[in-house]
Amino acid sequence: MNLVIGVPVKAFGIAKQRLSPVLNAEERSRLGMSVAARTLELASQHGEAVVLTGDKEVVLWAAKLGFGSVLESQSGLDAAGQALVSHAAGRPWILVHADLPQLQTTDLEKAAALIKPESTVIAASWDGGTSLLGSTGPFPFTYGAGSFHKHLSERPWAHVLASPGLSMDLDTPTDLETLQSMNV
């Protein structure tokens, strides 16, 4: 299939700002690196895993782990998606968030199996965002609040993939507390 799986990663020094009430900058950075590395490792089992970033330090970090990077010309998830589609050059692609601590290899396996020419797969995070999006060719990315429904309205025939591993992202102190209470 020659699948490309892009994992957007922000600069670790500025990532996870919403966790600042409970984690200092170094702790947020370590947490971001750990969860992103795990996501990349899982992604690499299903295709070419690449980091999507605008930060050169993240590029170096990814290279140390053995992953390639695609530099974004602008910041944000929409730009990351466009960079991924360009890099995929007609191959099927998946954009999956880096901060999914419960992500399982089966989540990516199921998503990959649903991507055929002219098809799309979408997964929602618990807050209505889009945690995974996959297709072939161009896509009108509209990340932000309520992006799952925006993406689904663009492709109402899309396959919707639901699983705990794709629904819980790690953004807020409440997310971290929930994750810790689950003993993960």
Side-chain angles (χ1 to χ4, degrees), residues 57-74:
E57 301 268 333
V58 171
V59 170
L60 294 172
W61 168 83
K64 286 180 184 174
L65 295 177
F67 296 103
S69 297
V70 176
L71 281 172
E72 306 163 3
S73 59
Q74 299 176 0

Side-chain angles (χ1 to χ4, degrees), residues 8 52 55 98 163:
L52 308 169
D55 185 77
S163 81

Side-chain angles (χ1 to χ4, degrees), residues 1-4 81-82 84-95 111-122 132-141 155 157-159:
M1 177 195 283
N2 210 8
L3 178 67
V4 180
Q82 295 303 333
L84 175 60
V85 169
S86 292
H87 176 75
R91 295 176 287 168
W93 52 264
I94 291 175
L95 188 151
L114 292 170
I115 298 175
K116 309 278 187 252
E118 309 282 328
S119 72
T120 299
V121 61
I122 304 173
L132 179 143
L133 183 56
S135 195
T136 57
F139 189 88
F141 297 98
R155 303 274 171 96
W157 61 87
H159 301 281

Side-chain angles (χ1 to χ4, degrees), residues 102-177:
Q102 292 188 300
L103 183 68
Q104 300 296 316
T105 190
T106 55
D107 296 325
L108 295 171
E109 186 176 290
K110 289 175 186 174
L114 292 170
I115 298 175
K116 309 278 187 252
E118 309 282 328
S119 72
T120 299
V121 61
I122 304 173
S125 59
W126 68 269
D127 62 358
T130 305
S131 60
L132 179 143
L133 183 56
S135 195
T136 57
F139 189 88
F141 297 98
T142 54
Y143 280 98
S147 67
F148 172 75
H149 290 289
K150 292 176 191 174
H151 288 136
L152 192 56
S153 72
E154 290 291 337
R155 303 274 171 96
W157 61 87
H159 301 281
V160 175
L161 190 58
S163 81
L166 290 167
S167 65
M168 184 181 184
D169 53 7
L170 188 52
D171 289 329
T172 67
T174 302
D175 298 338
L176 183 60
E177 184 178 307

